[in-house]
Amino acid sequence: MFLQITAEHDVEADVDVPGQTYSFGVVIDAQAAGDLAVLESRGRRALRVHLGTDVAAGLRTLAAAFDRALA
C-alpha cells in the first residue's frame, strides 16, 4: 500500500522554470500525478491525501484519522 501526501504550493514562493511558461509547482504536481497513475496502472494499492494550504492542520487531521483507524 502506497500513501501519497500532497499539499498546495505557496504561490508567492513558487518559481517559474527558466525559459518555460510554467512553474516548478506545476512540475511537482505533474510528477505526483504521474507517480500515482503508474502505481495504479501496475495494480498497486495507492491512496492520495491532499493536505490543502494549511499543511500543519492537514497533518493533524491525517494523524487523527490514523489514530481512529488503528484504535
Side-chain angles (χ1 to χ4, degrees):
M1 174 63 115
F2 292 87
L3 176 63
Q4 182 184 72
I5 301 173
T6 62
E8 291 296 316
H9 302 284
D10 180 351
V11 176
E12 293 176 11
D14 199 3
V15 177
D16 288 340
V17 175
Q20 302 300 323
T21 59
Y22 50 84
S23 69
F24 281 102
V26 171
V27 174
I28 291 167
D29 290 343
Q31 180 70 51
D35 290 347
L36 187 61
V38 168
L39 288 169
E40 291 174 340
S41 74
R42 294 180 183 240
R44 303 291 195 260
R45 294 187 313 155
L47 175 66
R48 177 180 185 250
V49 175
H50 189 74
L51 301 177
T53 57
D54 187 343
V55 174
L59 288 172
R60 285 191 298 274
T61 301
L62 181 58
F66 272 115
D67 288 344
R68 284 191 306 275
L70 299 174

